[in-house]
Amino acid sequence: MTSSTAPVLVLRAVTDAYIAHVKQGNLHSALGHMTLLADTYGLPAVRDLAAELTCNLHARCPARFRNSLGGVNISAVSPARAADPFTVLDVASRANQMMGRGQVTAADLSHTEAHMHVTEDVRRVVQAALDTASHGQKSVSARLAVLVTPQQLSAAVALLTNGLIVSP
């Protein structure tokens, strides 16, 4: 694995494939594209994917999910979920089902709860990136630059993916 960004044409091709899989309801394949990008080019490429998804969501999001200034409201397209025991179990079960895994384990529950907390921290960063999306990808990338861990980047991509699901 290298630690550089992906070539622009590769990034655009992966972004297009990712979005196509999301639109087809094939989240497992979309996740495979993100993983391949991360394995080949490192975390900076996943951050670049998040920036591409941010700009795409900004361009395609329906008016009903926008704030009064016309920007995308991430909480409208991807509502926050409380990390209560029932929600954690539900999210862990859905994740296991999507990934083709079996029964939910205690480790799955612990991982899911931790990921839900990271997602809420990342939500503010994604909102800031969406707020600057009209200024171009460089502005978006600058906002997303604070996301440095695999968990943070995966949470950002997940939030944006939820937005893409509700956008035409």
Side-chain angles (χ1 to χ4, degrees):
M1 172 179 73
T2 64
S3 187
S4 63
T5 60
V8 172
L9 292 178
V10 170
L11 181 63
R12 296 251 164 85
V14 169
T15 301
D16 290 346
Y18 184 94
I19 292 169
H21 285 295
V22 167
K23 294 298 183 185
Q24 295 167 0
N26 193 345
L27 297 177
H28 187 61
S29 291
L31 181 60
H33 280 76
M34 182 183 76
T35 302
L36 182 62
L37 195 62
D39 289 347
T40 306
Y41 297 102
L43 292 179
V46 177
R47 189 173 21 265
D48 291 344
L49 173 64
E52 289 278 337
L53 296 176
T54 300
C55 292
N56 191 287
L57 180 57
H58 173 75
R60 296 181 181 198
C61 188
R64 71 182 184 273
F65 297 115
R66 294 184 178 271
N67 60 32
S68 61
L69 299 175
V72 177
N73 179 350
I74 195 64
S75 293
V77 296
S78 186
R81 297 183 75 180
D84 62 76
F86 295 112
T87 303
V88 171
L89 178 61
D90 180 54
V91 171
S93 296
R94 289 175 192 236
N96 278 11
Q97 181 181 13
M98 182 181 79
M99 299 304 289
R101 295 189 207 132
Q103 294 280 15
V104 174
T105 66
D108 293 333
L109 294 173
S110 178
H111 174 78
T112 299
E113 184 175 18
H115 191 72
M116 289 176 77
H117 290 297
V118 168
T119 300
E120 290 315 303
D121 293 340
V122 168
R123 181 180 296 277
R124 291 182 288 283
V125 175
V126 171
Q127 184 62 63
L130 283 164
D131 291 345
T132 63
S134 64
H135 301 291
Q137 184 154 349
K138 285 189 178 191
S139 296
V140 169
S141 295
R143 293 291 183 158
L144 296 176
V146 299
L147 304 177
V148 295
T149 69
Q151 295 82 6
Q152 290 171 326
L153 291 166
S154 127
V157 170
L159 286 167
L160 293 162
T161 299
N162 287 341
L164 292 170
I165 289 170
V166 301
S167 297

